[in-house]
Amino acid sequence: MKFRPRNLPLLLGTAVLATVVLIYLSVHPRGLSSFVVQSYANSAAPLAFAAIAQTFPVLTGGLDLSIGGIIALTNTLASELVHGSPLEVIAGIVIVLGVGAACGAFNGALITYGRIQPIIATLASGAIFSGLALFIRPFPGGDVSVELADAATGMIFAIFPVCVAAIAALLWLAGLLLNRTLTGKGIFAAGSAPNAATLSGLRIDRSIMAAYIMSGIFGALAGLFLGFQTLSGDATIGVPYTINSIAAVVIGGLSLRGGRGSLLSGVIGAFALRGIGAVLLFSGSPPLAQPLLEGMVLIVAVCAASITLVRQPNRLNVFS
Amino acid sequence: MKTLAVRFQNVSKSYGPTRALIDLSLDVGAGSIHAILGENGAGKSTLIKILTGVLAPDTGSVEVFGERLEHAGPGGSGRHGIATVFQELSLVPHLSVEDNLFLSEPRRGLFGLIDIGKQRREARPWLDLVGLTDVRPGTHVSELPLAQKQLLEIAKALARRPRILLLDEATASLPGKDVDRLFDILRHAQVGGLSVLYISHRMSEIERIADRCSVLRNGQHIETFATKSRSYADVCRMLAGRDVSQIFPPRRPAKHDAPVLLRVDNLSAVDLVRNVSFTLRVGEVVGLGGLEGQGQKELLLALYGAIRPSGGTVEFAGSRFQPGSPAQALSGDRSLMLLPDDRKTDGLLLSDSIEDNMLLCVKRKLGRWGVRNAAAEDRIVAAAVDQLAIKIASPKAPVSSLSGGNQQKVLLARLTLNNPSLYILMDPTRGIDVGTKQEIYSLIRSLADQGAAVLFLTTDLEELIGMCDRVLVFYGGTVCRELLGSAITDVGILEASLNLKNDAKTSEAAA
């Protein structure tokens, strides 16, 4: 990647991640080992999926507050469907991802055709999805295919986490959609110049729909992966992911203003955020002070990412 | 009879009680360059929106090469071979130049995915055609200066290989050499059979490029004539419906002994302004000329406290002046105030009311303890509306409901209400009709006569010649020449702009 000013937020996010990883490895009681890599990757993967899910709506200039709800719904659904014979497992996964896509399409329809502000639309729909999840599974439990779970949370040749490979592959596919199709161009345009795009004949409504559907699918992937980790379903498991997915994309350098940015932001931010949590835990800070410390570290990390503005001589560029 | 490219038949369009087009019939011959003239609010924008498929007419029909135009949204007009260069640009800022160039018809490769390599190769000739030879296709559009964006907008329309090209104020922010290039391209394409609808306020450009010319006024078609068959005065009369005898107000002899208001000494900022020095006296109107992007804008923003200077000093009203922000620059007894060139994004709060926009900078001074003084506000707003002859229904109406010219007057009222000693005006007449221009010119002159000074940035040569007591021509970030009195001519300014004669620093015609 060539250095350009527009890549700076992403590079700063990467620097934050690198710092966190170094500290993580130095304070971790077991140092760098295959097991440490595996557990780090697996703990960050669901948030990484959730953050990628958040990236699409943010690029359109919106926000998805229903990601937690989608994760809860798909996680409980996975605990009902993803077990048994290989055929049943595959069918279960397809249904789970399909439900995620349907949740996203519902959000997209509320926003493009219902003309509801994204924050309100997804706040409401998120409550609906969480409610459905509770309906499916009032108490934690259920069953997820152990073989598949072991494979998904395992390592390739004992050195490379499967989940990271999966994230990389899915990121590549999503990148094709975003950068190589007109629908993807429209997602960027929706967040920066919807009128210009409409005058050029782009269908912005379709792009916004596509963004929320992608959000739903990646939310479902997060729900599914949480199922692989816990081997059960829990209707309350999604709650922290809504806000954390937003925090992750911001640490990764994505502008909440929309219209610009990269899918990598979410992944980088998710790994950094999980790393920060783990570092605080290993360094022996009191567990009750964790949210406080995490919040403070978050502010410092995000400020660090916008450090360039301090030297900006043109005041007109500070807030834009 | 020649075939017709576009035929409007009895087209009417109303927005609520406002009638934008009234029973308009207009023919545009195939293969001609047809100019449409009209003041703001004459119905030109509505005409364009109907032709591009954004709006459907209430009554009447539009035919394109004999086929009825279906109003199926902006994508529809492309099928009829119509491409438009929009005044407010239809570019997506955070996509690359090549993406924007082919936004309507991306070049596809395997599996219908956009083929970036192919786009990049095909982008090159189009960029070269409009003179963007040094722009890489991968650059984000947000990183380009305004003039280059406008050129890209033109390339984008041409890349659709249209049969009919609509240009809506396409030269509003283009320097002269790019306008020449655009005209060459249009003449060349005309030979290839392209029909052009050219909408502009600049009479001199229309005389150069258009074969025929139609004048609209108040939504009606007044007359269509061969371009050079009417005098400038005739055309102005058709446009305004009245006589516009003299556009520029008479100039007084320059006062060389008036007190110095502003002394800029070796000012530098953001690599674009390099060691600029000049003085400005009370009562002067000083123009900033030169090609676009030679540091004029940045200099003005630096004076206004919006850009932090990297070197040099500014003396204003006798004391050192170093505003940390525009808020500081425009407060105090002797203040300076800037009129931004892009009134819609940098000037007005579009959805706010007319009065709130006018009072933006003085509201706090009027009120007490943070409570608004409604009576005083009403009084001074009414006075300003009266003074500037702004046509409004109610001061409570949103400023976005006004035409461009009246919006600009509201913005000017914001400046005059704050009563600054120095007015910095950036392109105050961009995209404004002749009548309003004339009013703005006389306002500027009267401000100077009343003891203020004016720094006047414009891309229009006629304005520099007609309005300014002195012209500072910028080249490469600094003042390359200062022109006085009768040395302010087209040729003089152009020569200086292109830095043709470097030897004479100041040229003054023998008085």
Side-chain angles (χ1 to χ4, degrees):
Chain A
M1 188 162 58
K2 244 190 270 175
F3 175 77
R4 300 200 189 100
R6 63 171 188 260
N7 288 330
L8 196 62
L10 187 61
L11 291 176
L12 286 167
T14 314
V16 169
L17 174 62
T19 316
V20 169
V21 168
L22 279 178
I23 300 174
Y24 178 87
L25 292 177
S26 63
V27 302
H28 196 284
R30 297 174 61 165
L32 179 60
S33 74
S34 173
F35 173 75
V36 170
V37 172
Q38 187 179 3
S39 68
Y40 186 5
N42 283 334
S43 74
L47 182 56
F49 283 123
I52 297 171
Q54 189 64 264
T55 306
F56 289 96
V58 167
L59 284 177
T60 66
L63 207 59
D64 191 344
L65 297 184
S66 72
I67 284 176
I70 293 174
I71 290 176
L73 178 58
T74 52
N75 178 251
T76 54
L77 212 56
S79 73
E80 288 283 350
L81 300 172
V82 184
H83 51 75
S85 71
L87 208 62
E88 285 174 318
V89 169
I90 290 171
I93 290 176
V94 170
I95 293 173
V96 166
L97 295 183
V99 167
C103 292
F106 180 64
N107 283 334
L110 285 179
I111 291 158
T112 52
Y113 305 114
R115 312 265 170 215
I116 305 176
Q117 300 249 342
I119 290 185
I120 300 302
T122 55
L123 188 69
S125 68
I128 295 174
F129 303 149
S130 302
L132 288 173
L134 275 168
F135 189 69
I136 293 172
R137 196 165 285 293
F139 306 103
D143 192 10
V144 176
S145 165
V146 180
E147 297 80 10
L148 186 61
D150 280 347
T153 57
M155 299 283 273
I156 302 169
F157 305 123
I159 51 165
F160 198 80
V162 172
C163 63
V164 174
I167 289 171
L170 290 165
L171 214 53
W172 179 74
L173 275 175
L176 280 186
L177 172 89
L178 205 52
N179 299 316
R180 302 283 296 279
T181 69
L182 212 48
T183 306
K185 304 286 178 201
I187 289 176
F188 285 104
S192 52
N195 291 341
T198 307
L199 287 175
S200 306
L202 254 62
R203 296 292 304 268
I204 289 295
D205 48 351
R206 285 186 198 167
S207 290
I208 293 176
M209 277 297 274
Y212 283 90
I213 290 172
M214 289 303 283
S215 174
I217 292 172
F218 274 92
L221 284 166
L224 197 60
F225 196 84
L226 282 168
F228 293 150
Q229 279 183 313
T230 61
L231 296 178
S232 63
D234 179 352
T236 63
I237 202 164
V239 176
Y241 284 92
T242 303
I243 296 302
N244 282 338
S245 66
I246 299 172
V249 294
V250 171
I251 290 183
L254 195 70
S255 162
L256 290 184
R257 230 178 281 263
R260 60 176 122 175
S262 155
L263 286 171
L264 277 174
S265 286
V267 179
I268 289 168
F271 276 80
L273 200 58
R274 274 293 175 262
I276 291 169
V279 166
L280 290 173
L281 190 70
F282 293 140
S283 62
S285 63
L288 287 178
Q290 282 250 336
L292 178 92
L293 292 171
E294 266 193 50
M296 284 161 59
V297 172
L298 189 63
I299 288 174
V300 172
V302 174
C303 285
S306 48
I307 194 76
T308 46
L309 287 181
V310 175
R311 292 178 47 77
Q312 172 61 255
N314 191 337
R315 295 184 63 91
L316 301 180
N317 294 343
V318 171
F319 294 106
S320 60
Chain B
M1 194 183 128
K2 273 174 77 178
T3 52
L4 292 176
V6 184
R7 165 163 245 183
F8 289 90
Q9 277 178 310
N10 309 99
V11 172
S12 294
K13 177 77 195 172
S14 304
Y15 307 99
T18 317
R19 300 178 72 187
L21 291 178
I22 304 163
D23 201 26
L24 178 125
S25 298
L26 179 68
D27 294 340
V28 177
S32 72
I33 297 183
H34 195 118
I36 306 238
L37 271 165
E39 300 203 343
N40 284 334
K44 293 176 315 224
S45 329
T46 308
L47 200 72
I48 293 168
K49 282 180 183 153
I50 287 176
L51 204 48
T52 51
V54 178
L55 286 177
D58 296 338
T59 59
S61 69
V62 184
E63 283 177 13
V64 176
F65 288 109
E67 255 179 90
R68 202 185 152 97
L69 183 68
E70 302 297 333
H71 290 277
S77 66
R79 282 193 288 280
H80 289 276
I82 301 174
T84 311
V85 177
F86 289 98
Q87 186 181 3
E88 36 320 288
L89 305 184
S90 63
L91 303 172
V92 180
H94 301 295
L95 290 181
S96 66
V97 166
E98 68 207 10
D99 280 338
N100 272 289
L101 198 55
F102 302 122
L103 201 55
S104 313
E105 297 144 6
R107 306 299 187 248
R108 296 178 194 277
L110 215 55
F111 307 120
L113 291 175
I114 293 170
D115 185 337
I116 294 173
K118 193 173 170 190
Q119 286 206 149
R120 196 151 290 188
R121 281 192 305 279
E122 290 190 21
R124 196 69 265 166
W126 294 112
L127 296 179
D128 291 343
L129 177 70
V130 296
L132 292 170
T133 38
D134 52 351
V135 170
R136 287 185 305 108
T139 317
H140 275 201
V141 164
S142 60
E143 293 161 15
L144 300 179
L146 185 58
Q148 293 198 340
K149 284 183 195 165
Q150 184 124 46
L151 290 173
L152 178 60
E153 176 83 13
I154 292 167
K156 183 181 164 188
L158 291 170
R160 297 176 74 170
R161 300 182 182 279
R163 289 199 291 173
I164 300 172
L165 183 66
L166 262 70
L167 294 123
D168 183 10
E169 297 288 347
T171 57
S173 49
L174 285 187
K177 71 171 166 44
D178 288 326
V179 174
D180 294 344
R181 180 192 288 274
L182 171 65
F183 287 178
D184 286 342
I185 296 169
L186 292 184
R187 281 193 205 97
H188 192 249
Q190 187 187 13
V191 176
L194 180 75
S195 315
V196 178
L197 261 174
Y198 190 88
I199 287 131
S200 176
H201 287 300
R202 298 187 182 180
M203 198 53 215
S204 55
E205 288 180 4
I206 288 173
E207 278 183 350
R208 279 171 60 196
I209 187 72
D211 309 322
R212 296 185 71 72
C213 191
S214 296
V215 174
L216 302 188
R217 189 173 74 226
N218 297 332
Q220 284 166 310
H221 180 196
I222 302 298
E223 198 179 332
T224 296
F225 50 89
T227 303
K228 283 174 185 158
S229 66
R230 295 288 194 282
S231 74
Y232 191 35
D234 284 342
V235 176
C236 284
R237 207 172 301 125
M238 278 185 236
L239 279 172
R242 61 176 191 271
D243 258 312
V244 182
S245 52
Q246 181 73 42
I247 289 193
F248 295 107
R251 221 179 323 196
R252 303 158 299 107
K255 284 187 223 152
H256 295 293
D257 52 347
V260 171
L261 181 68
L262 181 78
R263 189 188 300 278
V264 177
D265 197 19
N266 272 319
L267 195 72
S268 299
V270 288
D271 298 335
L272 289 165
V273 181
R274 301 199 179 95
N275 301 322
V276 172
S277 303
F278 66 93
T279 55
L280 181 62
R281 290 175 189 278
V282 168
E284 269 191 314
V285 178
V286 170
L288 304 187
L291 304 176
E292 180 132 339
Q294 302 300 313
Q296 307 97 316
K297 265 182 86 166
E298 287 75 15
L299 168 74
L300 297 180
L301 288 172
L303 290 176
Y304 196 43
I307 290 181
R308 193 187 309 143
S310 56
T313 56
V314 179
E315 209 176 280
F316 179 62
S319 54
R320 184 84 189 270
F321 187 65
Q322 248 183 330
S325 66
Q328 277 176 31
L330 62 82
S331 58
D333 292 339
R334 312 290 311 266
S335 62
L336 55 87
M337 208 162 159
L338 178 137
L339 181 92
D341 54 350
D342 189 341
R343 63 175 167 268
K344 284 196 173 148
T345 57
D346 296 346
L348 296 164
L349 312 177
L350 279 175
S351 52
D352 272 14
S353 70
I354 294 163
E355 59 176 4
D356 281 351
N357 268 289
M358 282 187 189
L359 296 167
L360 197 61
C361 303
V362 293
K363 206 176 286 171
R364 224 174 329 167
K365 293 184 205 163
L366 283 179
R368 263 189 158 187
W369 301 304
V371 181
R372 293 175 67 161
N373 183 345
E377 286 183 6
D378 288 350
R379 200 169 56 243
I380 67 172
V381 166
V385 167
D386 204 40
Q387 190 206 345
L388 294 172
I390 310 177
K391 288 176 207 130
I392 59 169
S394 151
K396 311 269 186 226
V399 77
S400 57
S401 65
L402 299 179
S403 70
N406 281 311
Q407 286 184 4
Q408 190 73 329
K409 284 184 181 174
V410 170
L411 205 49
L412 277 164
R414 182 192 296 168
L415 269 70
T416 56
L417 288 180
N418 198 37
N419 198 22
S421 311
L422 171 59
Y423 288 85
I424 300 176
L425 307 177
M426 292 164 90
D427 237 346
T429 60
R430 171 180 291 181
I432 283 178
D433 58 88
V434 180
T436 311
K437 269 187 183 178
Q438 192 186 14
E439 294 173 53
I440 289 178
Y441 294 144
S442 58
L443 172 73
I444 294 172
R445 184 46 73 188
S446 72
L447 291 172
D449 289 346
Q450 287 158 22
V454 181
L455 274 175
F456 188 6
L457 172 76
T458 172
T459 46
D460 191 338
L461 280 183
E462 286 170 23
E463 290 187 348
L464 287 176
I465 297 163
M467 276 304 296
C468 299
D469 302 321
R470 264 193 301 152
V471 174
L472 307 172
V473 183
F474 275 69
Y475 187 84
T478 193
V479 179
C480 72
R481 201 164 321 163
E482 185 178 335
L483 302 171
L484 288 172
S486 54
I488 307 176
T489 60
D490 313 23
V491 180
I493 297 171
L494 280 171
E495 274 178 0
S497 304
L498 301 169
N499 206 21
L500 290 179
K501 287 182 195 161
N502 229 344
D503 43 349
K505 185 83 179 165
T506 305
S507 50
E508 186 178 0

